[in-house]
Amino acid sequence: MKNLFDATVANQLKTRLGKLEPQSERRWGKMTAAQMLAHCSVSMQWAVGELVPEKGALPARLMGRLVKPMVFRNEDPLRKNSPTAKSLIVADERDLGKERDRLSGLIDKFAAGGAAGCTRNPHSFFGKMTPEEWAILMYKHLDHHLRQFGV
């Protein structure tokens, strides 16, 4: 399964990031391309341990336990309009170039750090995760949002 510990996969994602433009139109959702990059950066900060995910509400955590096996069982992409943790919502205007550079650096940091550099904190929705699960989820999350903007 594709994951962000694989340098080739990380580089492929960064190539796709380079194809985003300020005027890139979204296929679903509400964020602009720059807001989406900022959103993805915060989730990557969770994965590298720079930020600690907030503990999700009990109903969400229970649902996360049910959904988790479906997310990690195959290569299927994440579904459109999946729920988002409030702390990951970006509503203010952002600069696409700055956000692209920030996310690219976080991708590099995660990939280079490998399992040892991955957070041990639980995910706000899925709960306790292994470094390998984080690597798969980060790939799927980035892929989901890049597909959202057609790249």
Side-chain angles (χ1 to χ4, degrees):
M1 196 168 320
K2 288 186 179 180
N3 71 77
L4 208 50
F5 290 149
D6 182 329
T8 301
V9 170
N11 286 329
Q12 289 169 347
L13 287 172
K14 289 173 25 181
T15 297
R16 291 169 65 191
L17 283 177
K19 296 178 182 178
L20 274 173
E21 298 181 10
Q23 65 274 15
S24 293
E25 290 191 35
R26 63 183 174 263
R27 296 177 176 178
W28 68 84
K30 299 176 182 176
M31 294 182 283
T32 65
Q35 289 169 332
M36 175 274 290
L37 294 174
H39 160 85
C40 289
S41 288
V42 175
S43 69
M44 288 297 303
Q45 287 179 291
W46 285 6
V48 298
E50 289 181 8
L51 295 175
V52 177
E54 78 282 356
K55 190 173 185 178
L58 181 60
R61 292 192 327 258
L62 293 174
M63 180 173 289
R65 288 187 185 131
L66 295 172
V67 173
K68 186 177 173 182
M70 293 183 276
V71 171
F72 294 101
R73 73 175 170 213
N74 59 37
E75 297 271 344
D76 289 352
L78 299 178
R79 294 182 180 178
K80 296 177 185 177
N81 297 312
S82 298
T84 303
K86 289 180 182 177
S87 64
L88 294 178
I89 295 173
V90 176
D92 58 319
E93 289 303 313
R94 300 294 179 106
D95 177 85
L96 185 96
K98 288 179 185 176
E99 295 301 334
R100 181 185 1 248
D101 290 345
R102 180 167 75 126
L103 180 55
S104 182
L106 286 162
I107 291 169
D108 288 342
K109 181 176 182 176
F110 185 85
C118 188
T119 188
R120 299 297 186 246
N121 295 314
H123 189 274
S124 64
F125 185 67
F126 294 117
K128 187 176 179 179
M129 295 194 345
T130 67
E132 291 73 22
E133 288 171 332
W134 274 103
I136 292 166
L137 182 62
M138 291 300 95
Y139 166 76
K140 284 191 170 201
H141 186 243
L142 292 169
D143 173 67
H144 168 79
H145 283 295
L146 291 170
R147 285 185 304 98
Q148 178 185 16
F149 284 88
V151 298

